[in-house]
Amino acid sequence: MSTSKEQIAYQRKYIRERLFVLASQLIIVSIMLFSWEYASNSGHLNKFIFSCPSEIIKTIIQMINNGDLYKHLFTTLNEIFLSFSLGLVMAFALAIIMYLNKIFMKIIDPFLTILNSLPKVAIGPMLIIWFGANAKSIVIMGILINLIVSTLTIYDGFQKIDDVKIKLFKSFRASKWQLMTKLIIPGATNSIISALKLNISMTLIGVIMGEFLVSKSGIGYLIIYGTQVFNLNLVLAGIVILLIISFILYIVVIFIEKIINR
Amino acid sequence: MKNKILRINNLVKNYNTMRGEINAIKEISFDVNEGEFLVIVGSSGCGKSTLLSILSDLETLTEGNILKNDSLKIGYMLQEDALLPWLTIYENAILGLKIKKIDTQENIDEVIRLLKLYNLYDFKDKYPKNLSGGMKQRVALIRTLAIKPDLLLLDEPFSALDYQSRLAVSDDVYKIIKKEKKTVIMVTHDLAEAISMADRIIVLSKRPATIKKIYDIKLEHKGTPINNRKDGKFSKYYDMIWRDLDVNI
Ligand SMILES: Nc1ncnc2c1ncn2[C@@H]1O[C@H](COP(=O)(O)OP(=O)(O)OP(=O)(O)O)[C@@H](O)[C@H]1O
Ligand SMILES: [Mg+2]
């Protein structure tokens, strides 16, 4: 098969555009980092308050060398993993119960709406009193913040399944179990993935918030501790690590989405 | 003598809603003969889908009764193809067999035979989005035929298609049904489609549905639906039934 001149030109133009966008992004980031570095080294910026890229990198390398990084990273990732997976399982189960039991749904609907609009941080201090100043409270915080949104997103996906398809299953005398496993759940894949994405970012917020409130280790703890001792290098190192974590989690979710939607 | 496979006696259907009782079907009685292609026409909202849902036990009836042999197997083909986008064509075609847990080798072989016969076998590992509307409709028909129904219920099976494919697909579906020797009840509000396919037409009134008239369709040369549209008697039936339908524009 031969490719026409126009097609080649089109592809070239497309690739050029992509490269241009990528290059611009790299340039913007470099300019920002370099001017930040320059401004704090030349005294235009107060290094003590604003830190600078080289100091942040130094701090991170130091933490890698003395093993601190792994400890804090492990604490936070562990909390994220627990809140994420427990939250997702609970959301999934709740959504199924709500779907199968319309009366139950009607009863809890207003409670969900009210709870959903409540800023979950507000109950954080109370959680600490109930569950203690430990990782348990943080995980519960993470779950609380993602559970309702995830549940409603998944439920909404169930709800959107075409009536004609449900009628089709009924015409084959499908059992409730068959209806759920062969139609409702696979049909809601996109909503489940949306819930996954929401869940990941919400969990991250919940866990960091929890760590702000109680923890003795974790990335959130690093940031809070850094502010308390006025070590801005440490604070910004924590933020950079958080950025990296959320970027990796984002990539993982996109990867899962690719696999499911293949 | 024609064999009757189904008899509907004084069927009444009311829907109960908070806004009051809706009388969808007032009183309907008719028989279905074995091997016939029976078409029910009526204006939109008059209760056609309700009737088919009752026949296939998806809705209960309010009054009256339906006489049929317990062994009578009914296949229901819905208004849309309702193929599941995440299953392949083959998996869609055997969906009914899977759900009913009758996916025996014999039944699967039958589905494969049908897929081959109706030019879908090459697409068996493709997904619905790769097929044209007409092909999807044929897959939906094969999915219904797979459970070997004695009576096929078709609810406006072509309404989702554009005019041209509608003609071609109704021709295809008609040939498949005749070849597989099935008894059919099809509902539609497309009068030309009804006359081109039917052995018999039942005309329903507006809601609540009652039977206005029953026509035996006797064309000069009965052939496939597309050819039937050119039949000398086609327009005569069309005019008569059009008047019965009493369409207000
Ligand atoms: N589940 C239901 N509850 C209440 N009313 C209903 C229900 N299903 C149908 N109806 C009403 O019963 C009447 C007949 O509906 P039906 O779907 O049988 O009509 P139809 O002839 O198939 O219409 P269409 O040509 O639009 O497909 C309509 O007025 C409809 O609003
Ligand atoms: Mg209908």
Side-chain angles (χ1 to χ4, degrees), chain B residues 15 17 22 24 43-50 79 156 189 207:
Chain B
Y15 284 110
T17 71
I22 298 172
S43 51
S44 126
C46 78
K48 303 181 297 290
S49 296
T50 301
Q79 207 149 342
E156 310 203 27
H189 56 243
R207 188 173 71 84

Side-chain angles (χ1 to χ4, degrees), chain A residues 76 80 204 208 212 219-220 223 237-247:
Chain A
T76 300
I80 290 176
L204 206 59
I208 296 303
F212 280 2
I219 309 299
I223 295 172
I239 292 175
V240 170
I241 294 167
L242 266 186
L243 267 177
I244 296 171
I245 294 180
S246 55
F247 182 70

